Amino acid sequence: MVKLAGTLVLVGAGKMGGAMLEGWLAGGADPARIVAMDPSPPPEMRELIARHDIRLNPDVAGITDAQVVIIAVKPQMMEEVLPRIAPLKSSKPLVLTVAAGKTIASYERHFGADAAVIRTIPNTPAAVGRGITAMASNPNVTPAQLALARTLLESVGEVVTVETEGMIDMVTAVSGSGPAYVFYLTECLAAAGEKIGLPKELATQLARATVAGSGELMRQSGTDAGVLRQNVTSPKGTTYEALQVLMAEDTGMGPLFEKAVAAALRRSRELAS
């Protein structure tokens, strides 16, 4: 249950912001305590906002009871957006960002060194309520604010807390960018099926269903991925033969993923510097 004592200000009602807004409303949040700030929200979000009579783009100066400010805009827009909403700092709100590539310090520059800031990195499955979000906070965040942040983020999936802000870049490399890795795996599996003679549409259908179903099995069973792999691998069978290629010590998926995740981590650190 999402309970708000003051106003929740959502800055950015795009895919991620919109998914969270839908989750908060489904979780019982009072629409009268929500403000959306977005010059051009997508049509479906504009309709949702209008249907629930949520305030859209009111004068920031008129919001005197901001409890939490959720920042869900693209990183390249941040320096244009933050000065406009900085007056909200007079209410001493929790500043919770779901935008990639911006450090806690960058928000403190706009909201003050005493601002309570939580930096998070969600991933795209949040759009269907199956995301996972990692969060790191500065010392100004109270236990109550941390609990509120967790409740708000759980509206789109699982939530984990990391010990240091530096770990957010590591999380980005694994789960933040991870959906793209899975989508590419699906592409590769479909292309391989087509190459051995399957019709393209059938190969694509098989690959998508296999990846989606395997993920759901792993989620529902809670069984370790390695155990699940072993369970479907018969000694000297077809899966075993394929895994000899995929698990090759030097050329298999393991070394490739190590390189890919390391590259993503390096870029995440560059963007956050």
Side-chain angles (χ1 to χ4, degrees), residues 43-63:
E44 63 274 14
M45 282 301 106
R46 188 177 289 276
E47 190 277 331
L48 179 71
I49 289 167
R51 176 159 32 98
H52 289 273
D53 201 24
I54 292 170
R55 287 171 286 169
L56 177 62
N57 299 322
D59 183 1
V60 170
I63 304 172

PDB file of all heavy atoms in Angstrom, residues 43-63:
ATOM      1  N   PRO A  43       0.749   9.659 -25.112  1.00  0.00           N
ATOM      2  CA  PRO A  43      -0.720   9.712 -25.084  1.00  0.00           C
ATOM      3  C   PRO A  43      -1.348   8.844 -24.003  1.00  0.00           C
ATOM      4  O   PRO A  43      -2.289   9.280 -23.330  1.00  0.00           O
ATOM      5  CB  PRO A  43      -1.108   9.234 -26.491  1.00  0.00           C
ATOM      6  CG  PRO A  43       0.060   9.596 -27.343  1.00  0.00           C
ATOM      7  CD  PRO A  43       1.264   9.408 -26.474  1.00  0.00           C
ATOM      8  N   GLU A  44      -0.817   7.622 -23.826  1.00  0.00           N
ATOM      9  CA  GLU A  44      -1.414   6.739 -22.826  1.00  0.00           C
ATOM     10  C   GLU A  44      -1.200   7.264 -21.411  1.00  0.00           C
ATOM     11  O   GLU A  44      -2.056   7.088 -20.528  1.00  0.00           O
ATOM     12  CB  GLU A  44      -0.844   5.312 -22.947  1.00  0.00           C
ATOM     13  CG  GLU A  44       0.642   5.159 -22.690  1.00  0.00           C
ATOM     14  CD  GLU A  44       1.519   5.413 -23.897  1.00  0.00           C
ATOM     15  OE1 GLU A  44       1.005   5.981 -24.899  1.00  0.00           O
ATOM     16  OE2 GLU A  44       2.704   5.033 -23.858  1.00  0.00           O
ATOM     17  N   MET A  45      -0.071   7.941 -21.182  1.00  0.00           N
ATOM     18  CA  MET A  45       0.179   8.527 -19.868  1.00  0.00           C
ATOM     19  C   MET A  45      -0.675   9.773 -19.657  1.00  0.00           C
ATOM     20  O   MET A  45      -1.188  10.004 -18.561  1.00  0.00           O
ATOM     21  CB  MET A  45       1.666   8.879 -19.722  1.00  0.00           C
ATOM     22  CG  MET A  45       2.560   7.704 -19.420  1.00  0.00           C
ATOM     23  SD  MET A  45       2.090   6.866 -17.889  1.00  0.00           S
ATOM     24  CE  MET A  45       1.315   5.376 -18.542  1.00  0.00           C
ATOM     25  N   ARG A  46      -0.839  10.554 -20.705  1.00  0.00           N
ATOM     26  CA  ARG A  46      -1.688  11.746 -20.603  1.00  0.00           C
ATOM     27  C   ARG A  46      -3.128  11.330 -20.261  1.00  0.00           C
ATOM     28  O   ARG A  46      -3.809  11.979 -19.465  1.00  0.00           O
ATOM     29  CB  ARG A  46      -1.657  12.536 -21.917  1.00  0.00           C
ATOM     30  CG  ARG A  46      -2.359  13.877 -21.847  1.00  0.00           C
ATOM     31  CD  ARG A  46      -2.227  14.628 -23.169  1.00  0.00           C
ATOM     32  NE  ARG A  46      -0.872  15.098 -23.390  1.00  0.00           N
ATOM     33  CZ  ARG A  46      -0.377  16.225 -22.902  1.00  0.00           C
ATOM     34  NH1 ARG A  46      -1.125  16.995 -22.120  1.00  0.00           N
ATOM     35  NH2 ARG A  46       0.857  16.589 -23.178  1.00  0.00           N
ATOM     36  N   GLU A  47      -3.574  10.229 -20.862  1.00  0.00           N
ATOM     37  CA  GLU A  47      -4.925   9.737 -20.593  1.00  0.00           C
ATOM     38  C   GLU A  47      -5.040   9.240 -19.152  1.00  0.00           C
ATOM     39  O   GLU A  47      -6.039   9.512 -18.473  1.00  0.00           O
ATOM     40  CB  GLU A  47      -5.258   8.602 -21.571  1.00  0.00           C
ATOM     41  CG  GLU A  47      -6.713   8.161 -21.562  1.00  0.00           C
ATOM     42  CD  GLU A  47      -7.029   7.160 -20.458  1.00  0.00           C
ATOM     43  OE1 GLU A  47      -6.121   6.390 -20.065  1.00  0.00           O
ATOM     44  OE2 GLU A  47      -8.177   7.152 -19.968  1.00  0.00           O
ATOM     45  N   LEU A  48      -4.007   8.526 -18.681  1.00  0.00           N
ATOM     46  CA  LEU A  48      -3.999   8.019 -17.301  1.00  0.00           C
ATOM     47  C   LEU A  48      -4.018   9.174 -16.304  1.00  0.00           C
ATOM     48  O   LEU A  48      -4.772   9.159 -15.315  1.00  0.00           O
ATOM     49  CB  LEU A  48      -2.767   7.146 -17.067  1.00  0.00           C
ATOM     50  CG  LEU A  48      -2.593   6.560 -15.661  1.00  0.00           C
ATOM     51  CD1 LEU A  48      -3.628   5.468 -15.406  1.00  0.00           C
ATOM     52  CD2 LEU A  48      -1.177   5.998 -15.484  1.00  0.00           C
ATOM     53  N   ILE A  49      -3.204  10.177 -16.572  1.00  0.00           N
ATOM     54  CA  ILE A  49      -3.121  11.353 -15.702  1.00  0.00           C
ATOM     55  C   ILE A  49      -4.470  12.076 -15.647  1.00  0.00           C
ATOM     56  O   ILE A  49      -4.950  12.461 -14.574  1.00  0.00           O
ATOM     57  CB  ILE A  49      -2.002  12.293 -16.193  1.00  0.00           C
ATOM     58  CG1 ILE A  49      -0.630  11.658 -15.921  1.00  0.00           C
ATOM     59  CG2 ILE A  49      -2.109  13.671 -15.545  1.00  0.00           C
ATOM     60  CD1 ILE A  49       0.525  12.345 -16.635  1.00  0.00           C
ATOM     61  N   ALA A  50      -5.100  12.222 -16.810  1.00  0.00           N
ATOM     62  CA  ALA A  50      -6.398  12.907 -16.861  1.00  0.00           C
ATOM     63  C   ALA A  50      -7.485  12.085 -16.173  1.00  0.00           C
ATOM     64  O   ALA A  50      -8.332  12.629 -15.451  1.00  0.00           O
ATOM     65  CB  ALA A  50      -6.776  13.170 -18.316  1.00  0.00           C
ATOM     66  N   ARG A  51      -7.445  10.767 -16.372  1.00  0.00           N
ATOM     67  CA  ARG A  51      -8.481   9.907 -15.803  1.00  0.00           C
ATOM     68  C   ARG A  51      -8.483   9.935 -14.283  1.00  0.00           C
ATOM     69  O   ARG A  51      -9.512   9.840 -13.641  1.00  0.00           O
ATOM     70  CB  ARG A  51      -8.287   8.469 -16.316  1.00  0.00           C
ATOM     71  CG  ARG A  51      -9.245   7.444 -15.740  1.00  0.00           C
ATOM     72  CD  ARG A  51      -9.369   6.205 -16.615  1.00  0.00           C
ATOM     73  NE  ARG A  51      -8.163   5.880 -17.329  1.00  0.00           N
ATOM     74  CZ  ARG A  51      -7.273   4.965 -16.927  1.00  0.00           C
ATOM     75  NH1 ARG A  51      -7.439   4.328 -15.781  1.00  0.00           N
ATOM     76  NH2 ARG A  51      -6.203   4.685 -17.662  1.00  0.00           N
ATOM     77  N   HIS A  52      -7.275  10.061 -13.711  1.00  0.00           N
ATOM     78  CA  HIS A  52      -7.160  10.082 -12.250  1.00  0.00           C
ATOM     79  C   HIS A  52      -7.092  11.506 -11.699  1.00  0.00           C
ATOM     80  O   HIS A  52      -6.862  11.696 -10.506  1.00  0.00           O
ATOM     81  CB  HIS A  52      -5.931   9.288 -11.814  1.00  0.00           C
ATOM     82  CG  HIS A  52      -6.084   7.808 -11.995  1.00  0.00           C
ATOM     83  ND1 HIS A  52      -6.651   6.993 -11.049  1.00  0.00           N
ATOM     84  CD2 HIS A  52      -5.735   6.997 -13.035  1.00  0.00           C
ATOM     85  CE1 HIS A  52      -6.655   5.744 -11.484  1.00  0.00           C
ATOM     86  NE2 HIS A  52      -6.099   5.712 -12.687  1.00  0.00           N
ATOM     87  N   ASP A  53      -7.272  12.480 -12.583  1.00  0.00           N
ATOM     88  CA  ASP A  53      -7.266  13.885 -12.173  1.00  0.00           C
ATOM     89  C   ASP A  53      -5.969  14.257 -11.450  1.00  0.00           C
ATOM     90  O   ASP A  53      -5.975  14.974 -10.439  1.00  0.00           O
ATOM     91  CB  ASP A  53      -8.481  14.181 -11.280  1.00  0.00           C
ATOM     92  CG  ASP A  53      -8.800  15.683 -11.248  1.00  0.00           C
ATOM     93  OD1 ASP A  53      -8.424  16.380 -12.203  1.00  0.00           O
ATOM     94  OD2 ASP A  53      -9.399  16.142 -10.253  1.00  0.00           O
ATOM     95  N   ILE A  54      -4.867  13.752 -11.978  1.00  0.00           N
ATOM     96  CA  ILE A  54      -3.543  14.068 -11.420  1.00  0.00           C
ATOM     97  C   ILE A  54      -3.088  15.416 -11.966  1.00  0.00           C
ATOM     98  O   ILE A  54      -3.254  15.703 -13.161  1.00  0.00           O
ATOM     99  CB  ILE A  54      -2.532  12.960 -11.785  1.00  0.00           C
ATOM    100  CG1 ILE A  54      -2.891  11.652 -11.053  1.00  0.00           C
ATOM    101  CG2 ILE A  54      -1.102  13.383 -11.461  1.00  0.00           C
ATOM    102  CD1 ILE A  54      -2.093  10.459 -11.528  1.00  0.00           C
ATOM    103  N   ARG A  55      -2.530  16.235 -11.104  1.00  0.00           N
ATOM    104  CA  ARG A  55      -2.051  17.542 -11.540  1.00  0.00           C
ATOM    105  C   ARG A  55      -0.873  17.376 -12.512  1.00  0.00           C
ATOM    106  O   ARG A  55       0.069  16.636 -12.216  1.00  0.00           O
ATOM    107  CB  ARG A  55      -1.614  18.368 -10.333  1.00  0.00           C
ATOM    108  CG  ARG A  55      -2.759  18.889  -9.474  1.00  0.00           C
ATOM    109  CD  ARG A  55      -2.243  19.504  -8.193  1.00  0.00           C
ATOM    110  NE  ARG A  55      -1.795  18.483  -7.250  1.00  0.00           N
ATOM    111  CZ  ARG A  55      -1.113  18.738  -6.140  1.00  0.00           C
ATOM    112  NH1 ARG A  55      -0.751  19.985  -5.849  1.00  0.00           N
ATOM    113  NH2 ARG A  55      -0.763  17.761  -5.330  1.00  0.00           N
ATOM    114  N   LEU A  56      -0.941  18.048 -13.629  1.00  0.00           N
ATOM    115  CA  LEU A  56       0.100  17.958 -14.649  1.00  0.00           C
ATOM    116  C   LEU A  56       0.735  19.326 -14.862  1.00  0.00           C
ATOM    117  O   LEU A  56       0.044  20.297 -15.181  1.00  0.00           O
ATOM    118  CB  LEU A  56      -0.487  17.447 -15.970  1.00  0.00           C
ATOM    119  CG  LEU A  56       0.475  17.356 -17.169  1.00  0.00           C
ATOM    120  CD1 LEU A  56       1.611  16.381 -16.887  1.00  0.00           C
ATOM    121  CD2 LEU A  56      -0.279  16.944 -18.435  1.00  0.00           C
ATOM    122  N   ASN A  57       2.042  19.391 -14.638  1.00  0.00           N
ATOM    123  CA  ASN A  57       2.836  20.602 -14.860  1.00  0.00           C
ATOM    124  C   ASN A  57       2.316  21.850 -14.134  1.00  0.00           C
ATOM    125  O   ASN A  57       2.206  22.931 -14.733  1.00  0.00           O
ATOM    126  CB  ASN A  57       2.949  20.899 -16.362  1.00  0.00           C
ATOM    127  CG  ASN A  57       3.619  19.793 -17.127  1.00  0.00           C
ATOM    128  OD1 ASN A  57       4.571  19.176 -16.643  1.00  0.00           O
ATOM    129  ND2 ASN A  57       3.141  19.518 -18.322  1.00  0.00           N
ATOM    130  N   PRO A  58       2.015  21.735 -12.842  1.00  0.00           N
ATOM    131  CA  PRO A  58       1.621  22.945 -12.108  1.00  0.00           C
ATOM    132  C   PRO A  58       2.858  23.799 -11.824  1.00  0.00           C
ATOM    133  O   PRO A  58       3.994  23.352 -12.027  1.00  0.00           O
ATOM    134  CB  PRO A  58       1.042  22.387 -10.805  1.00  0.00           C
ATOM    135  CG  PRO A  58       1.815  21.129 -10.588  1.00  0.00           C
ATOM    136  CD  PRO A  58       2.045  20.548 -11.964  1.00  0.00           C
ATOM    137  N   ASP A  59       2.649  24.992 -11.350  1.00  0.00           N
ATOM    138  CA  ASP A  59       3.743  25.878 -10.969  1.00  0.00           C
ATOM    139  C   ASP A  59       4.489  25.252  -9.793  1.00  0.00           C
ATOM    140  O   ASP A  59       3.894  24.942  -8.759  1.00  0.00           O
ATOM    141  CB  ASP A  59       3.171  27.239 -10.565  1.00  0.00           C
ATOM    142  CG  ASP A  59       4.272  28.252 -10.232  1.00  0.00           C
ATOM    143  OD1 ASP A  59       5.469  27.899 -10.342  1.00  0.00           O
ATOM    144  OD2 ASP A  59       3.923  29.377  -9.852  1.00  0.00           O
ATOM    145  N   VAL A  60       5.784  25.038  -9.969  1.00  0.00           N
ATOM    146  CA  VAL A  60       6.590  24.401  -8.920  1.00  0.00           C
ATOM    147  C   VAL A  60       6.521  25.194  -7.619  1.00  0.00           C
ATOM    148  O   VAL A  60       6.505  24.619  -6.526  1.00  0.00           O
ATOM    149  CB  VAL A  60       8.056  24.250  -9.389  1.00  0.00           C
ATOM    150  CG1 VAL A  60       8.956  23.820  -8.230  1.00  0.00           C
ATOM    151  CG2 VAL A  60       8.146  23.231 -10.513  1.00  0.00           C
ATOM    152  N   ALA A  61       6.462  26.486  -7.726  1.00  0.00           N
ATOM    153  CA  ALA A  61       6.430  27.336  -6.531  1.00  0.00           C
ATOM    154  C   ALA A  61       5.194  27.073  -5.674  1.00  0.00           C
ATOM    155  O   ALA A  61       5.192  27.365  -4.474  1.00  0.00           O
ATOM    156  CB  ALA A  61       6.475  28.806  -6.932  1.00  0.00           C
ATOM    157  N   GLY A  62       4.155  26.525  -6.284  1.00  0.00           N
ATOM    158  CA  GLY A  62       2.933  26.263  -5.540  1.00  0.00           C
ATOM    159  C   GLY A  62       2.934  24.945  -4.795  1.00  0.00           C
ATOM    160  O   GLY A  62       1.991  24.648  -4.044  1.00  0.00           O
ATOM    161  N   ILE A  63       3.991  24.148  -4.970  1.00  0.00           N
ATOM    162  CA  ILE A  63       4.083  22.855  -4.275  1.00  0.00           C
ATOM    163  C   ILE A  63       4.921  23.069  -3.012  1.00  0.00           C
ATOM    164  O   ILE A  63       6.148  23.167  -3.075  1.00  0.00           O
ATOM    165  CB  ILE A  63       4.728  21.785  -5.175  1.00  0.00           C
ATOM    166  CG1 ILE A  63       3.963  21.658  -6.494  1.00  0.00           C
ATOM    167  CG2 ILE A  63       4.769  20.437  -4.455  1.00  0.00           C
ATOM    168  CD1 ILE A  63       4.631  20.764  -7.512  1.00  0.00           C
TER     169      ILE A  63
END
